Amino acid sequence: MHVAFTIFKFFPHGGSARDLAKIAARCRERGHQVRIYALEWEGPDMPGTQRVVMPARGIRSHVRQRRFADRVADHVAAHPVDLLVGMNKMPGLDVYYAADSCFEDKARIQRPCIYRLTNRYRHYAEFERTVFAPDSPTRILTIAPGQQAAFTTVYGTPSYRFHSLPPGIERDRGAATVEAGRAIRREFGVGDTEILLLFVGSGFVKKGLDRVLRGVAALASPVRDRVRLFVVGDDKAERFQRLARRLRIAARVRFVGGRDDVAAWLQAADALALPAYDEAAGMVILEAASAGVPVVATANCGYAAFIREAKAGIVTPVPFDQARFNADLERLLTVDERELMSRRGRELAANESLHAMPSRAVEVLETVAAGGEPPVVSFCALEYSKTDPRYRSLAPVAQACRRRGLDVQVFVVDRRAPLPEGVDVVVVPATAVGQSRRRARRREWVAKSLGSSRPGPVVGFEAQGGINIRFGWEPTPEPNHGKAGKASPVTSRRENSRSEFSGRRRSRVLDGLPPGLGPAPTPPQGSREVVRAQFGFCEEDVVFAMAGNDLVSRGFERLFMALGRLPVALRGRCAVLAAGRPGLRLGGAERVFELDRRLRFDSDLSPLDAIEAADAFVDLPYRRSSSGWIFDALAAGRPVVTHAAVPESGLVRDACAGVVLASPFPQGDLSRALVFLLGSPDKRAEWSANAAEFASGREHFGQAEAAAAAIEQYARGRSGHAESLFA
């Protein structure tokens, strides 16, 4: 592998430069060629690497960075590499090492609105957007907890592009001898009874040196008179020297510049402070803890969580409060637990994963360069709703795909319906006048987004072309020349309609799957008694459950008219509990039939809860379409009323657990079926027992896993060489 790294400024004491050196060294150990592009370079060459320094003219730093990025792009075009890895955000990267926090997030929170009118803002925002935009191909190496969430919140970056790295602290940070620490104290005149407080870092403003100075000035006199603050790092010190003089602590503060003997300084120190304004990682607090130095740091330091969990210091909460930090600093310098904190920090250093960053980073680079990342399964569910039967299987199948190591993204229009953790939800814009135009624009947007993602199958839940795999009970248009042969569990079938994505395409239909989603019946979220009480139903009521995003299409009018024709005595015992929207106005008919207080609609209600609370499940769609919930009703022991055009009606017949009407059926047949069901409690009990017994068979469950297995087989067989779906 030939890998090139880019960095704006390389200097020996910079955190990004040190990380780059460690990763580059590991690449060389693995036999890879390494090239490094730098805008500025300080220090010696890195052995075994090709260094390309490209100075650029410009008064402002962002101008120089833009010109540097252009020159790097030209050089890489003339001298290609397998991967271009950036230690700073810039266009054209294959991989970005996220050593910095989210610029856009800081610009929105920490800067006034007028800042976003400046050229500086536009430059950094553009460079960051080229890395993190949803349609960018750049992979991101995150180095601390919480980084991914921050970038995803701002940009909606798909999670499959993120790779989390462990810390990479250097083993020699705690290797200095006691004598080396004493030599530092003698050299700078620090007495045995004095407290050596250490601040390490280049970038005094960002890392909060002013907060440390104010904290030292606020110490109680007996403590302050013993404290000596040493600032180790390369940066402009004049501003902070003036602040120290104003605070009258200048005699107790010493700036020693960048040092190569940081391990000896950690051996000499009694405590370390890092109250950063912004710090993606904060490697120095882990290095200090591993050397046995108690630490006080702000919670926005990426590695502060390690200090908190190990109890190797004090973590000051954010939003930052100077008075709270002052108290935390004084407590750290005087608390009796300092020896215990020191021991816990040394124990933390024994964790091998804290040193594993270079190896893990190179493994990711090798995988990306070889195209070995798992395929991305894209689910098209543009009209997704948890009560729409077409999408009943979406969340369980997506979870099953994730368990198999596949990356998953789901295209939806409305994000209100929750999806499992770890699944990327991509909200598709739908701005247009007219439904047909909105649909066309959605498909165009999805096509563009899929064109920038890694190869993988596209699974469709709607009746549309341009997909690799069709999922669901919905009928697929048949070609004039007849059906193709079956290939279990994926059967080839050509769409008859013209694809709105990319013309005619051959798709596959998931077939032969069991009706039950999980390995066992899915328990409802609420109990029968609680749900019935929530909607005002008593135990004597006979409740009919319905489910659907559009209850009109599921035959709610048919059920309503049948209930209205019942004798008054029977009608008074009936109620309807629907997980979904009514989709129509009854025009006062509910009051005429005395059902106005017996109809309950709730689009937030889980269909499983509606089934659990009901005495029977009803699905009477006007066209041939799947209910998706009939098997769940049988598994819950509920009789079912449906008609023969519903694909799952065969399950009801096989179970002998309800009424299957002819299709089409006269309305009178439904009325007679309801009269029979209401007037025959023994028959309802028999159907209920038959339903539960039928659905208890293990062969009926496992649809999600079987579907995920078929999708994985297709993905891993096709993802490496499949032609572009959206050419």
Side-chain angles (χ1 to χ4, degrees), residues 304-327:
F306 290 95
I307 303 299
R308 182 188 294 111
E309 292 172 8
K311 298 181 180 178
I314 298 173
V315 177
T316 299
V318 289
F320 180 81
D321 179 73
Q322 185 68 51
R324 172 65 183 270
F325 172 74
N326 298 345

Side-chain angles (χ1 to χ4, degrees), residues 56-68 123:
R57 294 182 178 180
I59 298 176
R60 307 300 296 273
S61 61
H62 65 268
V63 175
R64 295 193 297 273
Q65 291 169 12
R66 183 175 293 276
R67 291 172 178 171
F68 169 72
H123 163 79

Side-chain angles (χ1 to χ4, degrees), residues 324-377:
R324 172 65 183 270
F325 172 74
N326 298 345
D328 286 343
L329 177 61
E330 183 162 343
R331 184 158 62 96
L332 182 77
L333 300 178
T334 59
V335 72
D336 294 335
E337 295 181 9
R338 287 169 45 77
E339 288 298 324
L340 182 58
M341 289 179 183
S342 178
R343 186 169 68 252
R344 288 169 177 164
R346 293 186 185 277
E347 291 172 355
L348 178 65
N351 186 348
E352 287 297 318
S353 66
L354 298 186
H355 310 280
M357 183 275 289
S359 297
R360 172 60 183 153
V362 174
E363 288 174 4
V364 173
L365 297 183
E366 291 172 339
T367 301
V368 173
E373 297 170 282
V376 178
V377 180

Side-chain angles (χ1 to χ4, degrees), residues 416-614:
R416 287 177 296 180
L419 283 165
E421 186 177 353
V423 172
D424 287 317
V425 180
V426 184
V427 180
V428 180
T431 305
V433 177
Q435 188 176 39
S436 61
R437 184 56 184 156
R438 280 197 299 273
R439 287 177 175 172
R441 286 195 175 180
R442 290 172 189 168
R443 284 159 173 75
E444 292 169 2
W445 195 94
V446 171
K448 179 181 177 182
S449 181
L450 285 169
S452 63
S453 64
R454 294 203 305 269
V458 181
V459 183
F461 280 79
E462 291 116 352
Q464 62 186 27
I467 56 178
N468 299 117
I469 299 173
R470 269 288 314 278
F471 193 97
W473 292 88
E474 298 290 340
T476 304
E478 300 292 342
N480 295 330
H481 53 74
K483 300 179 181 178
K486 288 189 176 181
S488 179
V490 179
T491 302
S492 178
R493 187 179 295 179
R494 182 177 297 275
E495 300 269 26
N496 188 39
S497 59
R498 185 170 183 80
S499 166
E500 295 181 67
F501 285 159
S502 59
R504 291 181 181 268
R505 298 293 308 169
R506 180 174 295 279
S507 64
R508 296 169 183 265
V509 179
L510 287 176
D511 201 0
L513 301 176
L517 286 172
T522 305
Q525 298 174 3
S527 68
R528 173 183 174 85
E529 293 76 15
V530 170
V531 177
R532 289 177 76 99
Q534 175 186 347
F535 291 97
F537 301 138
C538 62
E539 192 57 36
E540 291 73 23
D541 289 333
V542 177
V543 179
F544 296 97
M546 296 192 73
N549 195 44
D550 178 9
L551 292 172
V552 173
S553 67
R554 307 311 306 179
F556 169 71
E557 288 177 290
R558 290 173 161 176
L559 175 61
F560 177 75
M561 295 302 296
L563 292 176
R565 293 181 178 182
L566 292 176
V568 175
L570 291 179
R571 188 168 65 232
R573 297 170 48 205
C574 295
V576 176
L577 178 58
R581 304 182 184 89
L584 79 165
R585 295 181 179 180
L586 298 174
E590 71 276 20
R591 291 191 297 273
V592 174
F593 292 150
E594 299 179 353
L595 290 170
D596 51 321
R597 298 182 180 179
R598 315 292 290 172
L599 305 177
R600 296 290 186 268
F601 304 96
D602 191 339
S603 58
D604 293 325
L605 179 66
S606 165
L608 292 176
D609 286 342
I611 290 169
E612 180 68 14

